[in-house]
Amino acid sequence: MSPLVRARNVHKAFGHLDVLKGIDLDVMPGEVVVMLGPSGSGKSTFLRCINHLETMDRGSIEIGGEQIGYELRGNRLVTLAARAAAKQRGRIGMVFQQFNLYPHMNVLQNIIEAPVGVHGESKAEATAYANELLRRVGLADKASAYPRQLSGGQQQRVAIARALAIKPQLILFDEPTSALDPELVGEVLGTMRDLAGQGLTMIVVTHEIGFAREAADRVVFMDGGQIVEQGRPEDVIGNPSHERTRAFLARFIQ
Amino acid sequence: MGGTPHPFDDARDLALRDVARARAPVPYGRRAFWAVTLLVVGKIGWDTAHNGNFEWPVVAEWFTAASILHGLSVTISLTIVSMVLGVILGLVLAVARLSDNRLMSILAGLYIWFFRGTPLLVQLIFWYNLSTLVPELTIGIPFGPEFRHWDTNDVITPLTAAVAGLALNEAAYMAEIIRGGLLSVDPGQAETARAFGMTPIRALWRIVIPQAMRAIIPPTGNQLISMIKATSLVSVIAMGDLLYSVQAVYNRTFQVVPMLLVAVIWYLLITSILNVGQSAIERYYARGDRGNPSAKPVLADAGEAR
Ligand SMILES: Nc1ncnc2c1ncn2[C@@H]1O[C@H](COP(=O)(O)OP(=O)(O)OP(=O)(O)O)[C@@H](O)[C@H]1O
Ligand SMILES: [Mg+2]
């Protein structure tokens, strides 16, 4: 089986600050990869490179055999036009730390916006699927609520339903529970654990070590713009081989 | 706990303190303010109604005269057409101004600089007299072949000069208003739309603009009201708007004050209708807000404190 995501030698600098210094990462279809690492290590930046929200300076990223953001014409590598780049993002879901629901639309409209507007599904079809997704995230009765009328945990579960609604081949989570009150973290992690069990390909940036231990197929530890070590959760978390990993984990496991 | 009993432990006291019974006392200062205001307004109204110089019968006679109503319809249609064109062009300019494309941004900036920096009256006269500058209008490739051309005098009538002048000027102001509105929207919203595969145009149309409307509508209402009054400038290029029709009458009858009152009342009526419309639109775009969708919670609080 070939990897769904193939990142090679990804470099990114903001001005003089080297944020990513050569990231190589393969993600297999159906795999759940959890990325850990201290603040500023470049996790968000790498996630944003995967769906080309951020352009990178060197290297390449392929998803499903297609290079993201660029196209090889003969020997020339050209950047994709806005419309083609948008099409590539169509089947990559993303869940943000700050939820980023559309505040002027109700929950149902938030969920069907991309299926109807980007993928051309009929409204009836998209609505039926949206209602099913809302049931799955436990918010069947909130379809007509506006985001500001929901708690943080409910908003984030709507955001997850919105990401699922595009029938994604890959979902990216960027610290989905970091903006939540402690008692709301559990409900969102529970929803994500369900998804992980259903064969979805997920890349999750989080500080929830417990989630990494239970739901991850693989844990990747990043520091200083590089992948320091990766492997099965019981190895990386239970028995880290690298000093920097140990130092990072020591802060969570006391 | 123990110790001294807390007042809240007393059932009678607790019942008295139930805020469900509370009423806000009307302050004496506010009552006095009402009284003085009613008195002054009443006096002004009485004097106005009974002052013969206002010639109210003349006002009543001309208020719905055919020539006045025609002028009114010219004013209203000129306002609507110029405003619609101004908003559309303003939106294009605002997006161009914010675009990554340096050339587009500079061109939009130059346009805004020029049209905001010159008097509207001068622009109107300029469009009206365009034929003296360029006798022919041509569509073609610069320095290359020409496809079509017209005599400028055929194209530029008082109407087209008025619409061009008002709309192009309005676009410059609307561009800045819309740009401010677009900038007020959380950049995370456009990014989310992009992440979900929307093209930039679609993200703008579906996600950013609806949220920018909250900031765009109040100053646009202002612009619209200014525009209604700015249309009176077109009388200099022989367009028969409301003010022009009124002037045509008092130039014959010399009933200057009552005829101007006719115009003033019509202008006030239109702006009142627009205010009602604006409130309705603001309520629509305030949907999704938690609680009372009033656009002025801060001011309401300040009023209570008095
Ligand atoms: N648009 C930008 N312009 C300049 N610097 C940036 C930008 N985005 C990120 N950075 C910098 O890049 C570095 C890595 O940022 P990134 O957000 O990827 O870290 P992170 O690992 O996600 O951290 P955290 O756990 O705090 O979210 C940080 O030092 C940050 O200040
Ligand atoms: Mg981050």
Side-chain angles (χ1 to χ4, degrees):
Chain A
M1 203 162 42
S2 61
L4 178 67
V5 181
R6 197 199 302 256
R8 286 291 176 274
N9 195 31
V10 174
H11 282 258
K12 172 73 184 177
F14 289 111
H16 293 295
L17 180 68
D18 287 327
V19 176
L20 300 177
K21 303 174 191 163
I23 304 278
D24 291 321
L25 184 72
D26 283 351
V27 179
M28 302 305 277
E31 197 178 15
V32 176
V33 173
V34 170
M35 303 191 77
L36 302 175
S39 182
S41 56
K43 307 180 298 292
S44 297
T45 306
F46 178 62
L47 223 50
R48 290 160 49 78
C49 285
I50 293 178
N51 65 357
H52 200 50
L53 285 179
E54 201 82 72
T55 56
M56 44 202 224
D57 302 333
R58 278 172 66 188
S60 66
I61 295 180
E62 267 177 31
I63 296 181
E66 202 178 319
Q67 183 168 5
I68 294 299
Y70 299 85
E71 186 184 28
L72 203 55
R73 291 196 194 141
N75 278 331
R76 282 190 318 134
L77 188 67
V78 292
T79 53
L80 283 179
R83 181 167 288 274
K87 198 164 166 24
Q88 286 187 331
R89 294 191 195 99
R91 297 291 178 201
I92 306 173
M94 192 160 193
V95 176
F96 300 84
Q97 184 173 351
Q98 303 295 340
F99 328 135
N100 290 11
L101 294 176
Y102 311 128
H104 59 300
M105 296 181 177
N106 69 27
V107 165
L108 182 68
Q109 292 166 331
N110 261 278
I111 297 176
I112 66 172
E113 177 60 28
V116 173
V118 176
H119 300 290
E121 288 179 27
S122 78
K123 214 168 168 179
E125 183 188 358
T127 302
Y129 190 46
N131 283 321
E132 186 196 319
L133 291 172
L134 280 175
R135 259 196 307 283
R136 261 165 72 184
V137 299
L139 293 171
D141 54 336
K142 295 292 185 191
S144 58
Y146 281 91
R148 284 199 190 98
Q149 298 162 342
L150 301 178
S151 74
Q154 292 171 330
Q155 287 191 51
Q156 194 60 301
R157 284 185 285 153
V158 171
I160 291 173
R162 176 175 68 173
L164 291 173
I166 59 170
K167 308 191 172 88
Q169 52 176 344
L170 169 70
I171 302 195
L172 310 171
F173 293 84
D174 192 359
E175 302 201 27
T177 58
S178 297
L180 296 177
D181 290 337
E183 72 269 24
L184 300 179
V185 169
E187 63 186 62
V188 171
L189 289 183
T191 304
M192 291 170 58
R193 212 172 285 129
D194 291 345
L195 298 181
Q198 289 162 11
L200 234 96
T201 314
M202 300 170 35
I203 303 180
V204 184
V205 171
T206 185
H207 291 294
E208 296 293 332
I209 305 292
F211 176 80
R213 213 195 304 263
E214 292 163 35
D217 296 314
R218 181 153 47 112
V219 171
V220 173
F221 177 71
M222 263 182 85
D223 192 11
Q226 285 171 321
I227 292 180
V228 176
E229 74 174 287
Q230 56 177 308
R232 296 186 306 160
E234 52 270 37
D235 296 335
V236 175
I237 297 171
N239 184 23
S241 57
H242 218 282
E243 181 49 42
R244 280 192 282 178
T245 320
R246 258 194 295 271
F248 174 77
L249 290 170
R251 270 182 272 156
F252 294 91
I253 306 157
Q254 276 150 3
Chain B
M1 290 282 161
T4 52
H6 193 274
F8 274 30
D9 291 340
D10 176 3
R12 205 185 79 87
D13 191 58
L14 207 56
L16 286 176
R17 285 175 188 278
D18 185 350
V19 295
R21 307 181 332 109
R23 293 193 324 125
V26 179
Y28 290 110
R30 196 181 289 188
R31 290 182 200 189
F33 187 39
W34 268 103
V36 171
T37 306
L38 285 176
L39 218 60
V40 172
V41 170
K43 172 70 175 155
I44 293 175
W46 178 269
D47 285 356
T48 313
H50 289 82
N51 184 336
N53 293 333
F54 286 101
E55 299 183 68
W56 290 109
V58 178
V59 174
E61 180 194 339
W62 283 98
F63 194 64
T64 51
S67 71
I68 303 296
L69 291 184
H70 181 259
L72 179 68
S73 70
V74 170
T75 289
I76 292 177
S77 30
L78 206 53
T79 302
I80 293 173
V81 172
S82 309
M83 197 67 196
V84 168
L85 292 177
V87 168
I88 294 171
L89 184 55
L91 176 62
V92 173
L93 286 167
V95 172
R97 190 94 180 81
L98 291 173
S99 104
D100 296 333
N101 185 325
R102 280 289 296 278
L103 182 59
M104 287 223 295
S105 175
I106 290 172
L107 289 177
L110 279 175
Y111 179 101
I112 294 165
W113 166 77
F114 182 82
F115 281 90
R116 286 202 308 176
T118 52
L120 176 57
L121 187 58
V122 175
Q123 290 173 30
L124 282 168
I125 297 172
F126 172 87
W127 289 113
Y128 189 53
N129 295 301
L130 192 63
S131 61
T132 57
L133 285 171
V134 270
E136 275 196 347
L137 298 175
T138 309
I139 290 185
I141 295 166
F143 306 110
E146 294 179 359
F147 302 136
R148 277 202 73 170
H149 61 96
W150 298 269
D151 191 341
T152 307
N153 267 329
D154 295 340
V155 180
I156 300 290
T157 62
L159 178 66
T160 48
V163 169
L166 291 171
L168 294 180
N169 183 262
E170 189 59 28
Y173 287 91
M174 283 311 301
E176 287 297 275
I177 289 173
I178 293 171
R179 185 171 71 99
L182 297 179
L183 287 175
S184 75
V185 178
D186 168 18
Q189 288 286 314
E191 186 169 281
T192 306
R194 270 203 319 145
F196 276 84
M198 290 190 211
T199 57
I201 300 276
R202 193 179 167 82
L204 190 69
W205 194 247
R206 294 284 303 168
I207 305 301
V208 179
I209 289 179
Q211 295 182 56
M213 287 305 249
R214 304 256 345 237
I216 291 175
I217 289 164
T220 303
N222 248 348
Q223 286 302 113
L224 190 53
I225 287 169
S226 307
M227 170 71 98
I228 291 166
K229 291 176 292 177
T231 54
S232 63
L233 288 176
V234 301
S235 52
V236 301
I237 57 172
M239 268 294 281
D241 75 313
L242 178 58
L243 190 63
Y244 187 86
S245 331
V246 164
Q247 287 168 333
V249 175
Y250 71 59
N251 283 340
R252 280 185 286 116
T253 66
F254 303 107
Q255 291 159 322
V256 179
V257 171
M259 289 316 294
L260 283 179
L261 277 174
V262 168
V264 165
I265 294 172
W266 272 120
Y267 282 121
L268 282 175
L269 270 176
I270 309 174
T271 40
S272 311
I273 294 169
L274 289 177
N275 285 338
V276 174
Q278 181 179 339
S279 312
I281 296 175
E282 281 179 12
R283 266 198 308 281
Y284 174 77
Y285 282 105
R287 76 192 187 286
D289 277 6
R290 191 186 280 236
N292 179 7
S294 160
K296 43 179 184 180
V298 181
L299 285 181
D301 277 354
E304 288 309 307
R306 230 143 280 194

mmCIF file of all heavy atoms in Angstrom, chain B residues 218-240:
data_model
loop_
_atom_site.group_PDB
_atom_site.id
_atom_site.type_symbol
_atom_site.label_atom_id
_atom_site.label_comp_id
_atom_site.label_asym_id
_atom_site.label_seq_id
_atom_site.Cartn_x
_atom_site.Cartn_y
_atom_site.Cartn_z
ATOM 1 N N PRO B 218 -23.957 50.858 8.070
ATOM 2 C CA PRO B 218 -24.219 52.212 8.609
ATOM 3 C C PRO B 218 -23.574 53.335 7.804
ATOM 4 O O PRO B 218 -24.277 54.279 7.418
ATOM 5 C CB PRO B 218 -23.667 52.128 10.035
ATOM 6 C CG PRO B 218 -23.748 50.677 10.374
ATOM 7 C CD PRO B 218 -23.456 49.946 9.103
ATOM 8 N N PRO B 219 -22.280 53.248 7.448
ATOM 9 C CA PRO B 219 -21.730 54.338 6.628
ATOM 10 C C PRO B 219 -22.322 54.386 5.225
ATOM 11 O O PRO B 219 -22.364 55.457 4.615
ATOM 12 C CB PRO B 219 -20.221 54.040 6.570
ATOM 13 C CG PRO B 219 -20.067 52.632 6.994
ATOM 14 C CD PRO B 219 -21.227 52.294 7.874
ATOM 15 N N THR B 220 -22.801 53.241 4.714
ATOM 16 C CA THR B 220 -23.431 53.258 3.391
ATOM 17 C C THR B 220 -24.764 53.994 3.445
ATOM 18 O O THR B 220 -25.120 54.725 2.512
ATOM 19 C CB THR B 220 -23.631 51.826 2.865
ATOM 20 O OG1 THR B 220 -22.368 51.172 2.848
ATOM 21 C CG2 THR B 220 -24.212 51.829 1.466
ATOM 22 N N GLY B 221 -25.491 53.819 4.564
ATOM 23 C CA GLY B 221 -26.724 54.578 4.747
ATOM 24 C C GLY B 221 -26.439 56.073 4.711
ATOM 25 O O GLY B 221 -27.156 56.854 4.078
ATOM 26 N N ASN B 222 -25.360 56.448 5.375
ATOM 27 C CA ASN B 222 -24.903 57.836 5.334
ATOM 28 C C ASN B 222 -24.668 58.306 3.913
ATOM 29 O O ASN B 222 -25.093 59.379 3.511
ATOM 30 C CB ASN B 222 -23.556 57.938 6.064
ATOM 31 C CG ASN B 222 -23.680 58.719 7.331
ATOM 32 O OD1 ASN B 222 -24.695 59.361 7.564
ATOM 33 N ND2 ASN B 222 -22.653 58.676 8.137
ATOM 34 N N GLN B 223 -23.950 57.469 3.150
ATOM 35 C CA GLN B 223 -23.615 57.811 1.769
ATOM 36 C C GLN B 223 -24.862 57.989 0.932
ATOM 37 O O GLN B 223 -24.949 58.889 0.106
ATOM 38 C CB GLN B 223 -22.749 56.706 1.150
ATOM 39 C CG GLN B 223 -21.328 56.670 1.638
ATOM 40 C CD GLN B 223 -20.617 57.979 1.381
ATOM 41 O OE1 GLN B 223 -20.274 58.697 2.310
ATOM 42 N NE2 GLN B 223 -20.406 58.313 0.116
ATOM 43 N N LEU B 224 -25.833 57.088 1.166
ATOM 44 C CA LEU B 224 -27.052 57.130 0.380
ATOM 45 C C LEU B 224 -27.786 58.448 0.629
ATOM 46 O O LEU B 224 -28.280 59.096 -0.297
ATOM 47 C CB LEU B 224 -27.935 55.935 0.766
ATOM 48 C CG LEU B 224 -29.163 55.649 -0.095
ATOM 49 C CD1 LEU B 224 -28.767 55.539 -1.551
ATOM 50 C CD2 LEU B 224 -29.834 54.373 0.371
ATOM 51 N N ILE B 225 -27.824 58.857 1.890
ATOM 52 C CA ILE B 225 -28.517 60.098 2.229
ATOM 53 C C ILE B 225 -27.758 61.299 1.651
ATOM 54 O O ILE B 225 -28.358 62.230 1.101
ATOM 55 C CB ILE B 225 -28.681 60.200 3.758
ATOM 56 C CG1 ILE B 225 -29.764 59.198 4.185
ATOM 57 C CG2 ILE B 225 -29.052 61.608 4.176
ATOM 58 C CD1 ILE B 225 -29.870 58.987 5.666
ATOM 59 N N SER B 226 -26.428 61.244 1.730
ATOM 60 C CA SER B 226 -25.645 62.321 1.088
ATOM 61 C C SER B 226 -25.917 62.348 -0.405
ATOM 62 O O SER B 226 -26.009 63.410 -1.015
ATOM 63 C CB SER B 226 -24.145 62.102 1.263
ATOM 64 O OG SER B 226 -23.838 61.916 2.589
ATOM 65 N N MET B 227 -26.045 61.156 -0.983
ATOM 66 C CA MET B 227 -26.255 61.048 -2.428
ATOM 67 C C MET B 227 -27.568 61.705 -2.849
ATOM 68 O O MET B 227 -27.614 62.426 -3.848
ATOM 69 C CB MET B 227 -26.234 59.567 -2.818
ATOM 70 C CG MET B 227 -26.664 59.291 -4.234
ATOM 71 S SD MET B 227 -25.432 59.850 -5.415
ATOM 72 C CE MET B 227 -24.599 58.310 -5.726
ATOM 73 N N ILE B 228 -28.633 61.475 -2.060
ATOM 74 C CA ILE B 228 -29.931 62.083 -2.397
ATOM 75 C C ILE B 228 -29.778 63.592 -2.493
ATOM 76 O O ILE B 228 -30.284 64.236 -3.407
ATOM 77 C CB ILE B 228 -30.982 61.723 -1.334
ATOM 78 C CG1 ILE B 228 -31.298 60.241 -1.416
ATOM 79 C CG2 ILE B 228 -32.241 62.549 -1.513
ATOM 80 C CD1 ILE B 228 -32.043 59.737 -0.213
ATOM 81 N N LYS B 229 -29.035 64.138 -1.536
ATOM 82 C CA LYS B 229 -28.869 65.591 -1.556
ATOM 83 C C LYS B 229 -27.864 66.029 -2.616
ATOM 84 O O LYS B 229 -28.019 67.086 -3.232
ATOM 85 C CB LYS B 229 -28.469 66.067 -0.160
ATOM 86 C CG LYS B 229 -29.646 65.896 0.815
ATOM 87 C CD LYS B 229 -29.304 66.252 2.225
ATOM 88 C CE LYS B 229 -28.335 65.254 2.785
ATOM 89 N NZ LYS B 229 -27.923 65.613 4.148
ATOM 90 N N ALA B 230 -26.852 65.156 -2.865
ATOM 91 C CA ALA B 230 -25.861 65.510 -3.888
ATOM 92 C C ALA B 230 -26.492 65.560 -5.267
ATOM 93 O O ALA B 230 -26.031 66.291 -6.144
ATOM 94 C CB ALA B 230 -24.706 64.499 -3.876
ATOM 95 N N THR B 231 -27.582 64.788 -5.474
ATOM 96 C CA THR B 231 -28.222 64.831 -6.796
ATOM 97 C C THR B 231 -28.709 66.241 -7.122
ATOM 98 O O THR B 231 -28.881 66.568 -8.286
ATOM 99 C CB THR B 231 -29.432 63.875 -6.880
ATOM 100 O OG1 THR B 231 -30.316 64.170 -5.802
ATOM 101 C CG2 THR B 231 -29.013 62.432 -6.836
ATOM 102 N N SER B 232 -28.925 67.070 -6.080
ATOM 103 C CA SER B 232 -29.389 68.433 -6.366
ATOM 104 C C SER B 232 -28.329 69.217 -7.140
ATOM 105 O O SER B 232 -28.643 70.215 -7.789
ATOM 106 C CB SER B 232 -29.751 69.151 -5.073
ATOM 107 O OG SER B 232 -28.625 69.277 -4.258
ATOM 108 N N LEU B 233 -27.078 68.746 -7.088
ATOM 109 C CA LEU B 233 -26.024 69.428 -7.849
ATOM 110 C C LEU B 233 -26.242 69.305 -9.353
ATOM 111 O O LEU B 233 -25.758 70.126 -10.123
ATOM 112 C CB LEU B 233 -24.649 68.846 -7.500
ATOM 113 C CG LEU B 233 -24.078 69.181 -6.126
ATOM 114 C CD1 LEU B 233 -22.757 68.439 -5.927
ATOM 115 C CD2 LEU B 233 -23.851 70.671 -5.998
ATOM 116 N N VAL B 234 -26.971 68.243 -9.768
ATOM 117 C CA VAL B 234 -27.093 68.036 -11.216
ATOM 118 C C VAL B 234 -27.944 69.110 -11.884
ATOM 119 O O VAL B 234 -27.993 69.182 -13.107
ATOM 120 C CB VAL B 234 -27.669 66.644 -11.572
ATOM 121 C CG1 VAL B 234 -26.802 65.535 -11.008
ATOM 122 C CG2 VAL B 234 -29.100 66.506 -11.111
ATOM 123 N N SER B 235 -28.630 69.944 -11.074
ATOM 124 C CA SER B 235 -29.389 71.027 -11.709
ATOM 125 C C SER B 235 -28.464 71.951 -12.506
ATOM 126 O O SER B 235 -28.907 72.575 -13.460
ATOM 127 C CB SER B 235 -30.184 71.809 -10.656
ATOM 128 O OG SER B 235 -29.330 72.212 -9.620
ATOM 129 N N VAL B 236 -27.164 71.995 -12.154
ATOM 130 C CA VAL B 236 -26.238 72.849 -12.913
ATOM 131 C C VAL B 236 -26.010 72.319 -14.320
ATOM 132 O O VAL B 236 -25.577 73.046 -15.198
ATOM 133 C CB VAL B 236 -24.852 73.019 -12.223
ATOM 134 C CG1 VAL B 236 -25.010 73.630 -10.847
ATOM 135 C CG2 VAL B 236 -24.091 71.716 -12.188
ATOM 136 N N ILE B 237 -26.241 71.020 -14.550
ATOM 137 C CA ILE B 237 -26.089 70.526 -15.921
ATOM 138 C C ILE B 237 -27.465 70.253 -16.522
ATOM 139 O O ILE B 237 -27.643 69.338 -17.326
ATOM 140 C CB ILE B 237 -25.169 69.282 -16.002
ATOM 141 C CG1 ILE B 237 -25.697 68.155 -15.107
ATOM 142 C CG2 ILE B 237 -23.743 69.639 -15.611
ATOM 143 C CD1 ILE B 237 -24.939 66.846 -15.293
ATOM 144 N N ALA B 238 -28.443 71.042 -16.083
ATOM 145 C CA ALA B 238 -29.774 71.044 -16.698
ATOM 146 C C ALA B 238 -30.520 69.732 -16.563
ATOM 147 O O ALA B 238 -31.266 69.322 -17.438
ATOM 148 C CB ALA B 238 -29.701 71.441 -18.179
ATOM 149 N N MET B 239 -30.282 68.991 -15.434
ATOM 150 C CA MET B 239 -31.097 67.814 -15.162
ATOM 151 C C MET B 239 -32.266 68.268 -14.287
ATOM 152 O O MET B 239 -32.074 68.969 -13.298
ATOM 153 C CB MET B 239 -30.296 66.774 -14.379
ATOM 154 C CG MET B 239 -29.589 65.756 -15.234
ATOM 155 S SD MET B 239 -30.740 64.701 -16.122
ATOM 156 C CE MET B 239 -31.197 63.570 -14.825
ATOM 157 N N GLY B 240 -33.497 67.846 -14.639
ATOM 158 C CA GLY B 240 -34.668 68.311 -13.913
ATOM 159 C C GLY B 240 -34.977 67.513 -12.663
ATOM 160 O O GLY B 240 -35.978 66.814 -12.582
#
